[in-house]
Amino acid sequence: MKTPNAVRLPIIALIVTVFLWAGAGRPGRAAAAEAGKVRVLLITGGHGFEREPFFKVFQDNPDITFAASEEPQAQARWKADAASQYDVIVLYDMWQSISDEAKADFLARLKEGKGLVALHHCLASYQNWPEYAQVIGGKYRLEKTVENGGEKPGSTYRHDVDFTVRLADQRHPVTRGLTDFAIHDETYGGFDVSPQSHVLLTTDAPTSGPAIGWAKTYGKARVVYLQLGHDHQAYENPNYRRLVAQAIRWVARR
C-alpha cells in the first residue's frame, strides 16, 4: 500500500530530525566526558627515549588528555593565547637554547598557576639559565662549573641499576597510597637539590643522589620533579605510573 504524499513528507522530516539530533548528541556527550580531565602539554626533545612505551604512560591515564610537542617548537605553546589549551606542563626534554621571550612566557605561565611536572633528564635543561633550576628545584650539571666562587664537578649517571625507592613523605598527595618499591632505572649522582624543595622520594643507591623526587611551588604554580623514568622498565612499573598520575593531579589542584 502506498503512503499518501501529505503523510509521507512529515514522516520523512521527523526521521531526518531524529537522525540529526542523535548525531549532534554524540559529540556533546564526548565533550562532556572530556570536560573533567586534566589537559596536559607534554614536551620532549633533545634526548632520545623509547617513544611508544613512554607515551603509553599518558595514553593509559584516564584522568588526562594530552598534546605532545617537541622542542624547540614547544616553546611557542608557552604564550598566553596557546596556554588556554592546557592545565599542566610536563617536561621530558633536555634542551638548552631559549630566548628571553620564551623565558618570560614560561615563567608567566607558572606565575599564573599552570602546574609543572618535571621528569628525569629535564633536570639537565637550560644549563645557562639559573632561574630554571629555581623553578624545578634542582640541577644536573653537564660539566664542571664554577658557581658562587666555588668549583662544582659535573653530575654523573649510571644505566641499568636495580634499587629501592623510599618514601620520605607518605602523606603527600603525590605519594599517597604507595609504599617503598623496587625499580630498574637510571640513577643520577652529584646533582643539586634546592633547600626549598620538599623531598618526597629518596634512595640509598650508591650511584644516586639521596633525594630523587620532590615538590615545591614557584609563583602560583605547584611543581613536582621525579628523577625516575629512563626507559620502558621504569615506564611499565606501576609505582612510577602512579607517581606520574598523582603528580599531574596535584599540580593541577585536583
Side-chain angles (χ1 to χ4, degrees):
M1 183 176 65
K2 293 184 178 180
T3 304
N5 287 339
V7 177
R8 185 184 303 141
L9 290 175
I11 292 174
I12 292 172
L14 177 61
I15 292 171
V16 170
T17 301
V18 171
F19 177 79
L20 292 175
W21 177 86
R26 291 191 193 99
R29 288 195 297 271
E34 296 294 300
K37 295 190 176 186
V38 180
R39 301 169 302 164
V40 172
L41 174 63
L42 177 57
I43 298 178
T44 62
H47 193 292
F49 65 98
E50 297 176 354
R51 298 181 69 86
E52 185 175 344
F54 175 72
F55 286 125
K56 200 169 189 308
V57 173
F58 299 87
Q59 291 164 352
D60 290 348
N61 184 342
D63 295 333
I64 70 168
T65 61
F66 76 96
S69 186
E70 289 194 18
E71 296 282 13
Q73 293 82 5
Q75 294 176 13
R77 305 291 297 274
W78 298 337
K79 293 193 173 299
D81 54 348
S84 65
Q85 302 301 311
Y86 58 84
D87 310 301
V88 170
I89 301 169
V90 175
L91 298 177
Y92 192 67
D93 56 350
M94 196 175 85
W95 200 253
Q96 303 306 326
S97 60
I98 184 170
S99 67
D100 288 342
E101 182 181 8
K103 290 176 183 177
D105 289 337
F106 182 65
L107 297 181
R109 303 294 77 77
L110 300 179
K111 290 173 181 177
E112 291 168 357
K114 296 289 183 187
L116 178 65
V117 176
L119 301 176
H120 197 53
H121 43 245
C122 79
L123 192 65
S125 291
Y126 307 119
Q127 294 281 293
N128 297 318
W129 184 26
E131 193 64 18
Y132 177 74
Q134 296 300 313
V135 168
I136 66 171
K139 180 178 181 178
Y140 181 106
R141 292 181 299 280
L142 293 174
E143 56 187 20
K144 180 174 62 178
T145 61
V146 175
E147 299 176 12
N148 301 318
E151 186 176 279
K152 287 189 173 183
S155 303
T156 61
Y157 65 91
R158 177 69 62 86
H159 290 149
D160 297 315
V161 180
D162 292 300
F163 60 100
T164 299
V165 177
R166 304 193 186 282
L167 304 189
D169 182 356
Q170 290 181 294
R171 301 177 65 181
H172 194 279
V174 174
T175 55
R176 191 172 295 152
L178 290 164
T179 57
D180 296 352
F181 62 92
I183 197 167
H184 182 94
D185 206 346
E186 181 181 30
T187 57
Y188 293 163
F191 56 89
D192 294 336
V193 179
S194 167
Q196 282 74 48
S197 298
H198 176 67
V199 176
L200 301 176
L201 306 174
T202 65
T203 186
D204 54 8
T207 56
S208 176
I212 57 172
W214 53 80
K216 63 186 298 294
T217 58
Y218 184 91
K220 294 182 179 179
R222 289 177 173 179
V223 179
V224 172
Y225 174 74
L226 301 174
Q227 189 274 317
L228 306 170
H230 177 68
D231 61 17
H232 71 278
Q233 296 189 79
Y235 309 150
E236 294 166 2
N237 187 306
N239 300 285
Y240 175 76
R241 287 178 162 232
R242 184 164 181 174
L243 282 169
V244 172
Q246 293 186 169
I248 290 171
R249 289 189 63 83
W250 184 70
V251 302
R253 301 179 184 274
R254 296 296 178 90

